[in-house]
Amino acid sequence: MTQRILITGAAGGVGTLMRPRLAADDRILRLLDIAELPAAADGERVETIQASITDMDAMERACEGVDAVIHLGGHSLEQVWSKILDVNINGTYVVLEAARRQGVKRVVLASSNHAVGYIKEADGEAADYAFPRPDTNYGVSKAAMEALGSMYADRYGMDVICVRIGSCFAKPKDVRMLSTWLSPDDGARLFEACLATPKPGFRIVWGVSDNTRRWFSLDEARKLGYESKDDSEEFAAEVLARHGELDPGSYAARYLGGAWCGPDFNTAVKEAGR
Ligand code: 15L
């Protein structure tokens, strides 16, 4: 039977990387974004919708006939509170509520390491389900996303998996990302595991590759069937030659959320500059 998967934020960074990787013969990808999406290539089994995740009517229509939602939409960087509240927090509510109204049983939420950014490297491996320690307005929205997901799982019996994504890019861009990197192929493997695992209920898993420098648990992700095949170490020499070793006193070295925990990411300053 053909499966239909709705991907929100499909024109964004992670969405663009996942589009070709999540394609399958027995699957239609329904791609949604507020930005214009590249049209379907020859033979590509996609449907495109240009709409905001904050638009309940549009989201309800987008969820019609869908087997699962992968919610990647929203601001992917720090923003002033009003935008985070509207797009990331309310938008996630709308996605979950529209899915519930349309009887979609499974939602995979793109959470982030910034939901727990103030975890210290010195405290050892970052656990699955670590209590929220958001580092920014954006991080708060990811903690709220997880709380909303938990509520929809408990109250309505939906399967909701929150993936605390580290850094999903084609290659690690800096030294911190040698720990936090999620290769695009591993990202797709993890999303496939999230879609396939029977009756997961509510889960929070780390979205990182099995990097030599990883300090994140992969236990819960592995329980879903995720098997990482990539390791950022293959880029280590190149990244270190470009950036040098991290200063052990720096935010990037000390905190999970890296520089986002430091004064340059001061959200109050951002608010003042609105
Ligand atoms: C995130 O959550 C961001 O969306 C992404 O742009 C990266 O900065 C990533 O975290 C990270 O921490 O590297």
Side-chain angles (χ1 to χ4, degrees), residues 76-77 111-114 138 165-167 169 176-177 180 257 260:
S76 64
L77 295 170
S111 184
S112 164
N113 71 87
H114 297 289
Y138 169 82
I165 299 176
S167 311
F169 298 103
R176 168 181 168 269
M177 289 190 196
T180 59
W260 291 47

Side-chain angles (χ1 to χ4, degrees), residues 218-251:
L218 284 182
D219 295 351
E220 202 62 7
R222 284 176 175 144
K223 278 189 211 158
L224 298 176
Y226 169 59
E227 207 192 311
S228 163
K229 297 208 168 123
D230 293 321
D231 181 344
S232 62
E233 211 53 24
E234 64 170 304
F235 301 104
E238 175 190 331
V239 170
L240 286 166
R242 202 171 335 120
H243 299 278
E245 287 288 353
L246 280 182
D247 168 0
S250 66
Y251 284 91

Side-chain angles (χ1 to χ4, degrees), residues 155-197:
R155 181 164 288 275
Y156 303 114
M158 288 164 64
D159 290 313
V160 181
I161 303 173
C162 307
V163 181
R164 285 181 174 166
I165 299 176
S167 311
C168 188
F169 298 103
K171 286 173 169 196
K173 295 180 176 181
D174 57 28
V175 179
R176 168 181 168 269
M177 289 190 196
L178 294 175
S179 313
T180 59
W181 189 54
L182 173 67
S183 77
D185 288 346
D186 276 348
R189 287 181 192 106
L190 181 50
F191 284 125
E192 290 290 2
C194 290
L195 293 174
T197 194

